[in-house]
């Protein structure tokens, strides 16, 4: 898995962190209700905003990592509704379009930990 690493501006980093907090609060307080999933079980782990602030990748993980495909599908189907609700708390002129993506960093960390433990034995 090759990733394209880029540096983020201070503006992008602040915006990303702010959007992460807004979305986390929306889900924790259940300010948005989505069909077939309990939004308070969603953890927003990271947000990456594009340099032009038009798009944001929202990395998330449902509780215990269960039903990830279902969560991803429903979140992306309702991304516009989530965007509209979040925009009420957003201070910038434009609210980025949201794309919800499973956070695979936990899987990667577990894989590395297993490799380290395997080498020790």
């Amino acid at each position: 898995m090759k990733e394209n690493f880029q540096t983020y501006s201070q503006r992008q980093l602040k915006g990303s962190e702010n959007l992460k907090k807004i979305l986390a609060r929306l889900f924790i307080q259940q300010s948005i209700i989505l069909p077939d999933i309990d939004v308070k079980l969603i953890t927003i782990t990271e947000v990456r905003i594009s340099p032009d602030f038009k798009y944001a990748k929202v990395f998330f993980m449902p509780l215990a990592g269960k039903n990830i495909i279902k969560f991803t599908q429903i979140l992306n189907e309702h991304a516009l509704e989530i965007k509209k609700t979040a925009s009420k708390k957003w201070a910038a002129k434009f609210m980025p379009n949201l794309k919800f993506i499973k956070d695979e960093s936990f899987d990667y960390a577990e894989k590395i930990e297993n490799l380290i433990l395997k080498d020790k034995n």
Side-chain angles (χ1 to χ4, degrees), residues 53-68:
F53 270 58
K54 288 186 179 180
Y55 304 98
K57 290 181 183 178
V58 181
F59 293 89
F60 76 98
M61 182 60 74
L63 186 67
K66 294 181 181 176
N67 301 322
I68 191 75

Side-chain angles (χ1 to χ4, degrees), residues 27-28 30 37-43 60-64 71:
F27 292 157
I28 290 169
Q30 293 182 298
I37 62 172
D38 186 354
V39 294
K40 69 181 176 205
L41 300 178
I42 297 170
T43 301
F60 76 98
M61 182 60 74
L63 186 67
F71 274 78

Side-chain angles (χ1 to χ4, degrees), residues 49-94:
I49 295 180
S50 64
D52 60 5
F53 270 58
K54 288 186 179 180
Y55 304 98
K57 290 181 183 178
V58 181
F59 293 89
F60 76 98
M61 182 60 74
L63 186 67
K66 294 181 181 176
N67 301 322
I68 191 75
I69 294 169
K70 177 181 170 184
F71 274 78
T72 305
Q73 181 181 5
I74 291 171
L75 286 167
N76 283 311
E77 284 174 3
H78 296 275
L80 185 59
E81 181 184 341
I82 296 167
K83 173 184 171 176
K84 286 180 182 177
T85 304
S87 69
K88 295 172 186 167
K89 303 282 185 188
W90 184 248
K93 187 173 183 179
F94 298 106

